[in-house]
């Protein structure tokens, strides 16, 4: 499931613009003594860092919101303005990639994700990964550790966790958006990197 989370995050990066940086964020896990097996709500900030072909790095910040057993939403934000340019939403049954800048989306079922990634892709593993990270587990992973050959040096970091109650409703896709295939998103990602 770790591969799914980070593949989803790296797919989102192609949908937006960002800034070049090598700055790392301070990690702030929740107290370990409050670590339940599951949580009803969890949120955090995140930073995705991807090396570019020219030797620099591309960095984008965002946030993650989770409602246990139901959905995880990852929003990638435009630097400075902090407006959402892409959203990735994962539920037990599907994943949604929403490109707000180009008004496109891709909706992929769990079966399709399993056939493209591995038979080991499960929503509850994603939840466990996020809950563990919130309580002092691994909060920073590289593409190499996840088996993503084309993104070996990419990394994502979760920080500033909270278990406060939050409003997390399903993402509704406007009729102004055009549906595209996951393959189109993958081609854009390859071209970008």
């Amino acid at each position: 499931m770790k591969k799914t989370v980070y593949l989803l995050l790296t797919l989102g990066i192609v949908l937006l613009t960002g800034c070049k940086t090598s700055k790392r964020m301070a990690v702030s896990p929740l107290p370990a003594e409050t670590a339940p097996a599951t949580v009803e709500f969890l949120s955090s900030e995140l930073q995705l860092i991807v090396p570019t072909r020219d030797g620099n790095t591309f960095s984008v910040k965002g946030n993650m919101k989770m409602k246990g057993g139901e959905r995880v939403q990852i929003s990638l934000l435009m630097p400075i303005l902090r407006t959402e340019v892409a959203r990735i939403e994962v539920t037990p049954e599907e994943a949604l990639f929403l490109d707000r800048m180009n008004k496109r989306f891709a909706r992929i079922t769990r079966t399709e994700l399993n056939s493209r990634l591995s038979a080991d892709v499960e929503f509850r593993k994603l939840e466990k990964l996020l809950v563990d990270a919130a309580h002092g587990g691994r909060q920073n992973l590289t593409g190499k550790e996840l088996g993503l050959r084309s993104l070996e040096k990419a990394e994502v970091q979760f920080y500033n966790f909270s278990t406060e109650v939050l409003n997390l409703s399903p993402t509704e896709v406007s009729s102004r958006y055009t549906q595209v295939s996951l393959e189109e998103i993958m081609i854009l990602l390859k071209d970008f990197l």
Side-chain angles (χ1 to χ4, degrees), residues 15 97-100 102-106 177-178 180 188:
L15 304 175
F97 301 89
L98 191 64
D99 173 0
R100 294 214 185 269
N102 298 303
K103 305 279 190 250
R104 297 177 304 168
F105 76 97
Y177 284 70
T178 303
V180 297
L188 288 172

Side-chain angles (χ1 to χ4, degrees), residues 14 24 30-31 34 36 38-39 58-59 69 80 83 92 104 106 112-113 129 131 138 151 160 164 181 185 193:
V14 76
R24 300 285 188 242
L30 297 171
T34 65
T38 62
V39 295
F58 182 84
S59 176
I80 300 170
T83 57
R104 297 177 304 168
E112 291 172 307
L113 282 173
L129 173 70
V131 170
R138 296 198 58 218
L151 297 170
N160 291 340
E164 296 292 317
S181 68
I185 292 174
L193 299 172

Side-chain angles (χ1 to χ4, degrees), residues 108-121 183:
I108 296 93
T109 66
R110 182 181 68 195
T111 304
E112 291 172 307
L113 282 173
N114 286 345
S115 69
R116 286 182 171 88
L117 300 176
S118 77
D120 220 14
V121 177
E183 286 76 22

Side-chain angles (χ1 to χ4, degrees), residues 63-113:
N63 57 59
M64 178 278 302
K65 296 177 182 176
M66 181 183 88
K67 183 172 183 184
E70 188 176 309
R71 76 187 59 255
V72 173
Q73 285 181 355
I74 297 170
S75 294
L76 300 172
L77 307 173
M78 183 179 293
I80 300 170
L81 299 176
R82 304 277 301 164
T83 57
E84 184 180 64
V85 293
R87 178 179 290 184
I88 301 163
E89 182 171 285
V90 182
T91 69
E93 298 305 317
E94 68 178 15
L96 171 69
F97 301 89
L98 191 64
D99 173 0
R100 294 214 185 269
M101 293 181 69
N102 298 303
K103 305 279 190 250
R104 297 177 304 168
F105 76 97
R107 193 178 302 270
I108 296 93
T109 66
R110 182 181 68 195
T111 304
E112 291 172 307
L113 282 173

